[in-house]
């Protein structure tokens, strides 16, 4: 199909580069430099989608980020992305896009029945209509709404694109490269400031690309090109196009999304799709310009009705006519620029101006060009369903309340200009309390909150001369304060037209007997009657009206609808707009890909992966790994086609009968040194530490100040003023911070230093009845006898030349040792253990067997120390000193903590000795009791006891102390299980602890 | 994201720090007899102030020092930062 709406010689597109693309399955052609919108318009395609609620036909309304209609589903390089604005998407070879919100097709959309049934979908329809009857919700309403709603489909595939984050610091960050942004950037750059200039479109220059002005004896566009070229050459300036500053956060932190690959058929190798910039700026200049406002009239959502500035941009930037019989409907001078541009391209527009007889330079120019202008005329309603075919127009009275006789005129598009709304989003996000400016009927920034300055049209200044003057000054003044350099540039000569006053008019009244929908919010289908209804129903606060009607809550964030909505509310309420107030602007200014926000922190990149020095050995020996915090730990070592259950049982059994070795490198290790170290430990742990001799280890429990157990572990006195503390893998970082808190803030008088040594030591636990025999082989030069190295003893050993710390501690309940060597010797140590352990039938064991061994013994771990239990609950009250004070001691007197029937750890065995008990299940007295069935406790950890060959669990049970021997039920609604169980002691194996001392 | 002046390291972004609560809370001395009310005030009871507030932060991914920061809880403006041993005045 030929591009029959493409103009011959005008525009900034590359005519020598043809591009083919597909829309809704049909093939079209455009040029490099087109957007999807401009290329479709060049081909005469105006129907792009259906509206959200009524499924009314939707065309193009704008030419950029403010577009409320033309949201499409994009297909690129085998992927699909929803919520893409056709007005922002640059054309590339092979682009494919589809309409959203329509089924089965954009031309015949079954959801349009909503349009006929719209009586059922008034304001607040979510809250009213679908409430009743309840049974209809799942079967009728929800599927219907799900089918009908939404702005496209998110891909369910893994996103293969790469997104990057970047942190940057600068003196001046400038948002927008229009006349204001260019001037301030140039002035600041000349003063040597570090400048970042961001432009959300692909082309720099903003309004200079489409306005008819002259700067320094050249066209505005040429001046912009010259400035940009100079800025790009300066080493202290970063100039970025396709980069949207979408959020202004605390302490002058702004976030910018740079589209790096969206305009290409596929992302280049090693390139990201988007880059998110976190920019900390000393000063922020907001030169984000303004957005044209629509005028509200009947059926103003018909395809072919669009902003007059957009129509002009399509002509001047893309060389595209949005229609061949245009009607320009304006309340100010801007509409004339569009009308004149039509005329220059050989098209005769009709201009309707709501003003009576405005005197201005541009109106005179239009008259001289012979344009057909009707003053005091308005569009009453657009006619045509899928495209504007004609317009009902009428004279309007001076007070704008009465309409004259309705006339119908032919047209194929209606270009609307209701004056300009400054883009104040970033200033508002910064915390600036914006103020209403009566001269322009819009909000402008008030007093700066952070270091932000708003300039040009964004600040309500529409004169180019004024904009350039203030922007050069601001750029110069702000930068010289930072750099102490001033290289003042002179402000160029400016030629622009003078503008006359706009008409304070924004909504055409309904003619008698007509009930046209007049839309305020085009994306969410909010009409004048919806706002009126909300007010009739008693909503007053603009924040409430917004949520009730959904005005301004669509993905365009009401860029074209907010002010007209406010005007309507203030008119009905007989208030002025400032006293109605406006809703809060929140980031992001435009929708941002979730992928860009997440960046590289996905999958294995979401956190660091720590591997022990023995990792490669585990890999070679068929270890199946499990995430333990940031560590990878062997869960079990697979032999043949064993599963987890079989392998862990074999490994645990071997520890109980022979000897096993387990990688315990991941345990947190903290080195504690200083003359007051013993006193410090005495305050941190619940038990006594002052008399621990050198060469001895002790098990300790530490509490939070609220009496809850924080962590447990053994600490060893290496020498007089030197201790080695171990923590659980999960709490290692928290415990270190905890210790630092008390040393730095609470007891700074204690002379103690702490440092993490977790990664400095490789650790291996050797456990089982044969472990001492193995130890003797490993340390032939040391006396490791029970007498010389008793339970809880410590010594340094010589592992074939490698200095080793030997701790006689046990987590498994067996005779056991833990060996620590410097990390680099970890693999040497491990291989020696395995080699010399062969004669004792050594086998490595993973975390699953480790759990089994500790559960059987009733040793508590993370699943019991879950941030809800006190020492008593874990049967650790014997470790709580009565004599000395320690962190959290005073809390243990709380009534709930000393209650007679306080929860306590118990063992749980299924009566049938067969059924596995799911962790997290509840314990109840009566399995058949009516709901809610009173919960007596929960299963904290489960295993298969290798000692007794039946399932065994630990539980935290109310009044656990007096429950031994009771028969209860374990209930797991999740697993649909009810299991009769008997409560036993938590020390299921070796309750007297004889093995560890053997 | 806040921009916090660590008295040891200089201006750093918030993601290097972790929050530590009200800096004006003093831990009761060890071995001192105190009422339930006093203990509860130390462990639990905090004012949720709007406005200037002295609070603790730890420069976790930096020098690991605990510092005192005076911040406006509504606007996030930071007025002052002190080292752990410096008294709030
Ligand atoms: Zn620091």
């Amino acid at each position: 199909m030929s591009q029959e709406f493409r103009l011959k010689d005008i525009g900034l597109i590359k005519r020598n580069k043809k591009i083919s693309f597909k829309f809704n399955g049909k093939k079209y052609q455009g040029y490099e430099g087109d957007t999807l919108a401009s290329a479709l318009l060049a081909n005469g395609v105006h129907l792009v989608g259906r509206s959200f609620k009524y499924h009314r036909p939707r065309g193009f309304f704008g030419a950029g980020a403010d577009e409320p209609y033309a949201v499409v589903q994009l297909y690129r390089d085998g992927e699909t992305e929803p919520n893409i604005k056709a007005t922002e998407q640059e054309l590339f070879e092979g682009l494919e896009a589809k309409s959203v919100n329509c089924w089965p097709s954009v031309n015949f959309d079954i959801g349009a029945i909503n349009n006929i049934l719209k009586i059922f979908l008034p304001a607040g329809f979510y809250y009213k209509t679908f409430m009743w009857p309840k049974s209809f919700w799942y079967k009728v309403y929800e599927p219907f709404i799900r089918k009908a709603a939404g702005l496209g489909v998110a891909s369910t595939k893994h996103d293969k694109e790469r997104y990057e984050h970047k942190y940057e610091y600068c003196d001046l960050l400038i948002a927008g490269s229009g006349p204001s942004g260019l001037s301030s950037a140039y002035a600041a750059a000349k003063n040597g400031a570090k400048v970042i200039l961001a432009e959300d479109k692909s082309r720099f220059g903003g309004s200079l690309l489409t306005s008819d002005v002259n700067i320094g004896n050249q066209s505005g566009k040429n001046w912009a090109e010259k400035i940009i070229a100079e800025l790009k050459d300066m080493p202290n300036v970063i100039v970025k196009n396709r980069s949207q500053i979408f959020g202004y956060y605390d302490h002058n932190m702004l976030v910018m999304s740079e589209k790096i690959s969206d305009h290409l058929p596929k992302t280049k190798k090693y390139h990201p799709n988007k880059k998110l910039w976190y920019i900390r700026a000393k000063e922020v200049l907001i030169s984000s310009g303004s957005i044209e406002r629509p005028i509200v009239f009947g059926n103003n959502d018909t395809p072919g009705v669009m902003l007059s500035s957009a129509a002009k941009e399509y002509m001047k930037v893309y060389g595209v006519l949005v229609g061949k019989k245009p009607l320009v409907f304006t309340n100010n001078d801007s509409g004339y620029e569009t009308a004149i541009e039509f005329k220059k391209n050989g098209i005769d527009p009709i201009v309707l101006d709501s003003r009576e007889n405005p005197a201005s330079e541009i109106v005179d120019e239009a008259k001289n060009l012979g344009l057909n202008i009707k003053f005091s005329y308005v569009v009453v309603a657009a006619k045509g369903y899928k495209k504007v075919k004609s317009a009902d127009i009428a004279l309007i009275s001076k007070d704008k309340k009465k309409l004259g006789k309705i006339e119908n005129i032919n047209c194929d598009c209606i270009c609307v200009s209701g004056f300009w709304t400054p883009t104040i989003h970033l200033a508002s996000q910064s915390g600036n309390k914006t103020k209403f400016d009566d001269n322009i009927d819009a909000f402008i920034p008030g007093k700066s909150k952070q270091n932000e300055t708003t300039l040009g049209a964004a600040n309500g200044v529409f004169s180019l001369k004024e904009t350039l003057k203030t922007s050069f000054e601001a750029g110069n003044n702000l930068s010289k304060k930072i750099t102490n350099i001033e290289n003042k540039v002179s402000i160029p000569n400016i030629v622009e037209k003078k503008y006359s006053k706009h008409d304070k008019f924004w909504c055409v009244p309904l003619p008698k007997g007509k009930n046209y929908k007049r839309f305020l919010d085009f994306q969410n289908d909010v009409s004048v009657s919806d706002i009126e209804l909300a007010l009739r129903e008693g909503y007053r606060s603009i924040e409430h009206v917004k949520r009730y009607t959904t005005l301004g809550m669509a993905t365009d964030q009401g860029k074209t609808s907010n002010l007209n909505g406010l005007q309507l509310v203030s008119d009905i309420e007989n208030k002025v707009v400032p006293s109605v107030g406006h809703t809060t602007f929140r980031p992001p200014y435009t929708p941002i890909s979730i992928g860009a926000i997440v960046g590289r922190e996905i999958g294995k990149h979401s956190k660091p992966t720590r591997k022990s020095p023995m990792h490669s050995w585990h890999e070679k020996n068929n270890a199946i790994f499990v995430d333990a915090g940031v560590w990878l730990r062997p869960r079990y070592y697979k032999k043949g086609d064993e599963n987890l259950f079989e392998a862990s049982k074999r490994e645990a059994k071997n520890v109980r009968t022979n000897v096993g070795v387990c990688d315990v490198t991941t345990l947190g290790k903290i080195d504690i040194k200083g003359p007051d170290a013993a006193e410090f430990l005495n305050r941190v742990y619940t038990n006594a530490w002052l008399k621990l001799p050198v060469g001895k280890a002790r098990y300790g429990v530490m509490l939070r100040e609220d009496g809850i157990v924080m962590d447990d572990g053994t600490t060893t006195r290496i020498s007089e003023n030197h201790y080695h503390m171990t923590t659980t893998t999960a709490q290692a970082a928290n415990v270190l911070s905890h210790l630092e808190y008390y040393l730095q803030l609470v007891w700074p008088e204690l002379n103690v230093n702490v440092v993490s040594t977790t990664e400095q030591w490789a650790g291996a636990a050797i456990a089982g009845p044969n472990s001492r025999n193995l130890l003797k082989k490993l340390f032939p030069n040391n006396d490791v006898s029970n007498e010389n190295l008793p339970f809880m003893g410590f010594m340094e050993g010589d592992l074939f030349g490698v200095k080793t710390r030997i701790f006689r501690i046990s987590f498994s309940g067996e005779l056991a040792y833990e060996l620590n060597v410097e990390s680099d010797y970890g693999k040497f140590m491990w291989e020696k253990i395995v080699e010399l352990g062969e004669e004792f039938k050594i086998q490595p064991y993973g975390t699953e067997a480790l759990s089994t061994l500790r559960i059987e013994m009733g040793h508590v771990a993370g699943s019991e120390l879950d941030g809800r239990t006190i020492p008593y609950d874990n049967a650790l009250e014997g470790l709580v000193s009565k004599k000395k004070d320690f962190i959290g001691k005073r809390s243990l007197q709380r009534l709930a903590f000393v209650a007679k029937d306080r929860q306590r750890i118990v063992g749980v065995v299924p009566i049938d000795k067969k059924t596995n008990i799911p962790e997290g299940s509840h314990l109840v007295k009566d399995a058949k009791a009516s709901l809610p069935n009173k919960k007596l406790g929960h299963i904290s950890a489960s295993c298969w006891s290798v000692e007794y060959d039946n399932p065994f669990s630990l539980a935290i049970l109310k009044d656990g102390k007096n429950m031994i021997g009771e028969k209860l039920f374990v209930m797991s609604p999740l697993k649909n299980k009810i299991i009769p169980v008997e409560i036993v002691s938590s020390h299921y194996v070796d309750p007297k602890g004889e093995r560890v001392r053997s | 994201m806040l921009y916090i002046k660590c008295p040891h390291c200089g201006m750093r972004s918030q993601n290097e720090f972790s929050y530590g609560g009200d800096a004006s809370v003093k831990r009761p001395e060890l071995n001192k007899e105190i009422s339930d009310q006093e203990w509860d005030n130390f462990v639990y009871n905090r004012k949720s102030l709007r406005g200037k507030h002295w609070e603790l932060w730890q420069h976790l991914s930096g020098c690991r020092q605990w510092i005192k920061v005076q911040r406006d809880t509504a606007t996030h403006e930071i007025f002052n930062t002190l080292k752990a041993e410096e008294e709030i005045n």
Side-chain angles (χ1 to χ4, degrees), chain A residues 832-864:
Chain A
K832 263 290 178 242
I833 293 169
V834 173
E835 178 199 328
L836 298 177
E838 204 173 344
E839 63 173 292
F840 306 108
K841 294 182 181 159
I842 198 166
Q843 286 184 23
Y845 63 102
T847 57
E848 201 66 23
L850 187 77
S851 287
T852 296
L853 295 166
R854 74 96 183 166
I855 293 168
E856 283 192 313
M857 284 289 164
H859 285 177
V860 292
S863 50
E864 289 76 35

Side-chain angles (χ1 to χ4, degrees), chain B residues 6-10 12 17 59 62-65 67:
Chain B
C6 171
H8 308 279
C9 311
R12 298 299 182 95
F17 294 84
H59 195 188
C63 61
R64 293 203 65 90
Q65 294 300 302
I67 61 169

Side-chain angles (χ1 to χ4, degrees), chain A residues 681 685 688-700 713-720 722-725 785-796 806-809 997:
Chain A
L681 290 171
Y685 282 127
W689 284 82
L690 294 178
K691 288 176 186 159
L692 181 73
V694 171
K696 283 284 183 187
R698 183 165 286 176
Y699 175 72
T714 55
T715 292
T716 306
R717 192 166 199 171
I718 305 287
S719 66
E720 179 64 22
H722 183 191
Y723 292 80
H724 172 82
M725 175 186 274
S785 65
N786 196 26
E787 294 69 40
N788 198 48
L789 184 58
F791 182 54
M792 297 310 265
F794 160 77
M795 64 184 286
E796 284 200 341
I806 312 171
F807 307 88
R808 186 168 164 194
I809 53 178
R997 292 183 173 79

Side-chain angles (χ1 to χ4, degrees), chain A residues 448-727:
Chain A
S448 296
K449 180 68 210 319
Q450 302 192 43
N451 294 359
E452 101 272 346
T453 312
T454 308
L455 295 163
N459 196 30
V461 175
F462 298 122
S463 138
L464 183 65
K465 198 167 181 176
E466 177 74 15
T467 293
L468 254 59
K469 186 172 166 286
T470 50
S471 303
F472 269 111
E473 274 170 16
N476 180 53
N477 292 339
L478 292 169
S479 58
K480 84 177 176 203
K481 264 195 282 178
I482 296 167
T483 63
N484 291 317
I485 299 169
E486 186 169 19
N487 293 316
K488 211 165 178 179
V489 277
S490 56
I491 301 167
N493 245 353
I494 290 147
V495 183
E496 63 176 326
K497 293 192 185 78
K498 278 202 188 64
Y499 280 71
S500 62
K501 193 91 186 72
H502 76 286
D503 201 359
K504 288 181 181 295
F505 169 68
W506 56 275
C507 183
V508 180
L510 281 177
K512 270 205 182 87
K514 294 286 182 190
N515 198 20
Y516 300 123
K517 276 269 173 200
R518 293 172 296 167
F519 285 95
L520 291 163
D521 184 317
F522 302 106
Q523 201 175 65
N524 268 359
D525 278 358
V526 181
S527 67
V528 172
S529 58
D530 291 322
I531 302 287
E532 289 168 344
L533 179 69
L535 291 164
R536 274 206 305 283
E537 291 183 351
Y539 290 91
R540 288 295 174 273
S541 154
I542 189 68
E543 295 282 358
H544 292 162
V545 172
K546 166 182 164 175
R547 278 157 186 81
Y548 192 58
T549 62
T550 73
L551 173 79
M553 284 171 69
T555 62
D556 69 335
Q557 287 201 358
K559 292 182 179 69
T560 51
S561 63
N562 273 341
L563 265 173
N564 284 340
L566 282 172
Q567 291 281 13
L568 180 63
V569 173
S570 52
D571 274 13
I572 298 172
E573 293 283 286
N574 260 326
K575 281 181 189 165
V576 286
V577 171
S579 67
V580 172
H582 71 83
T583 56
T584 318
F585 295 105
R586 291 199 173 83
Y589 173 70
T590 49
I592 302 299
S593 298
I594 299 282
I597 293 166
V598 173
R600 296 281 286 144
E601 291 167 17
I602 48 162
K604 280 282 167 202
H605 293 289
S606 60
K607 56 182 200 294
T609 300
R610 286 191 187 165
K611 295 173 181 173
S612 91
M614 290 82 99
H615 190 84
S616 60
W617 189 95
H618 304 322
E619 274 179 329
K620 254 185 241 150
N621 288 274
N622 299 325
I624 308 296
F625 292 93
V626 62
D627 289 323
V630 291
W631 292 90
L632 275 181
R633 295 190 74 176
R635 191 171 186 193
Y636 62 100
Y637 300 80
K638 198 179 172 84
K639 272 195 180 170
D641 46 12
E642 272 180 335
N643 59 23
L644 163 69
F645 179 70
E646 292 156 352
S648 61
K649 222 160 95 174
R650 168 182 51 75
E651 290 170 8
K653 186 100 194 154
N654 190 60
V655 171
R656 293 262 184 257
T657 48
N658 300 305
V659 60
V661 59
C662 181
D663 188 343
V664 293
T665 302
T666 64
L667 278 187
K669 303 173 204 78
I670 298 170
D671 210 53
I672 301 175
K673 274 185 182 168
D676 297 321
E679 171 62 25
F680 181 54
L681 290 171
N682 209 43
R683 297 178 185 186
V684 167
Y685 282 127
T686 61
N687 46 342
W689 284 82
L690 294 178
K691 288 176 186 159
L692 181 73
V694 171
K696 283 284 183 187
R698 183 165 286 176
Y699 175 72
V701 174
M702 62 177 81
L703 307 186
R704 312 189 307 214
E705 291 286 17
D706 62 2
I708 299 290
V709 179
M710 181 175 185
D711 199 40
D712 69 342
T714 55
T715 292
T716 306
R717 192 166 199 171
I718 305 287
S719 66
E720 179 64 22
N721 293 329
H722 183 191
Y723 292 80
H724 172 82
M725 175 186 274
T726 62
T727 73

Side-chain angles (χ1 to χ4, degrees), chain A residues 251 705 737 740 744 890, chain B residues 1 27 36 39 58 66 76:
Chain A
H251 297 184
E705 291 286 17
S737 268
E740 287 165 335
Q744 292 172 24
R890 181 66 176 76
Chain B
M1 200 181 335
R27 192 192 191 280
D36 286 352
W39 185 253
Q58 189 184 13
W66 285 88
H76 297 313

Side-chain angles (χ1 to χ4, degrees), chain A residues 76 79-81 158-166 257-262 267 271-276 592-602:
Chain A
R76 173 181 173 272
E79 299 285 335
T80 181
E81 203 178 341
H158 172 75
D159 187 350
K160 68 182 181 192
E161 296 285 351
R162 177 186 173 115
Y163 305 91
E164 286 180 356
H165 286 183
K166 181 178 169 69
S257 171
E258 181 188 5
K259 292 178 183 173
I260 294 186
S261 312
D262 279 354
T267 306
H271 280 227
N273 177 281
K274 291 186 186 70
K275 198 186 266 180
L276 216 62
I592 302 299
S593 298
I594 299 282
I597 293 166
V598 173
R600 296 281 286 144
E601 291 167 17
I602 48 162

